[in-house]
Amino acid sequence: GERWVLVQGNREQVEQAVQQVRQICDKAISKESRFGPGTIITELQIPANKCGLVIGKGGETIKNFIEQSGAHIELNKNNPADAMFKAFTVRGTQQQIEAAKQLICQRIGLNNGTLLW
């Protein structure tokens, strides 16, 4: 959809703000074209002691989840080592993300699908 932005200030401030808004829009457009329209990027919080179950030996489990759901799933590299929960980045359509969530929930024993998003 179309969005409107009101920029106020002196001429120099307005020109600088407009340039920054254009850069943000260009970046968002290139990101959408890279991942496809309708792509959603979200984070899924998994108990740290269950991350090994999600990843699997040699990454096999997470690769299977990616193949089955169609979503891209990866462990966030910025997770603190001592965190009780670890963030996984999940990218795809809403349907792909829901499929990935279900696969992960089943794998870690949360059959009702209650995960922190």
Side-chain angles (χ1 to χ4, degrees):
E2 194 171 302
R3 304 287 174 140
W4 291 90
V5 176
L6 175 64
V7 181
Q8 295 180 323
N10 65 39
R11 184 177 189 85
E12 185 179 316
Q13 291 169 326
V14 168
E15 287 174 1
Q16 185 178 13
V18 167
Q19 183 180 8
Q20 289 175 342
V21 168
R22 284 188 178 137
Q23 287 174 347
I24 291 167
C25 290
D26 290 344
K27 189 175 182 180
I29 289 168
S30 69
K31 189 174 188 178
E32 181 173 294
S33 65
R34 188 173 73 209
F35 299 129
T39 298
I40 300 166
I41 301 172
T42 191
E43 278 195 348
L44 180 60
Q45 299 292 323
I46 303 292
N49 64 346
K50 303 286 187 180
C51 289
L53 290 173
V54 175
I55 296 168
K57 188 173 185 176
E60 284 303 309
T61 303
I62 200 167
K63 288 176 190 172
N64 287 334
F65 290 168
I66 292 167
E67 187 177 312
Q68 291 175 41
S69 69
H72 178 78
I73 309 162
E74 65 182 342
L75 181 64
N76 188 322
K77 292 165 183 53
N78 297 324
N79 285 310
D82 61 346
M84 291 181 64
F85 289 87
K86 304 279 185 169
F88 281 78
T89 301
V90 184
R91 182 175 61 237
T93 64
Q94 185 66 43
Q95 184 178 357
Q96 290 169 329
I97 289 172
E98 287 301 318
K101 179 181 173 184
Q102 287 300 326
L103 290 167
I104 292 168
C105 285
Q106 289 171 358
R107 180 70 178 157
I108 65 174
L110 291 176
N111 293 326
N112 62 357
T114 51
L115 287 173
L116 301 175
W117 290 86

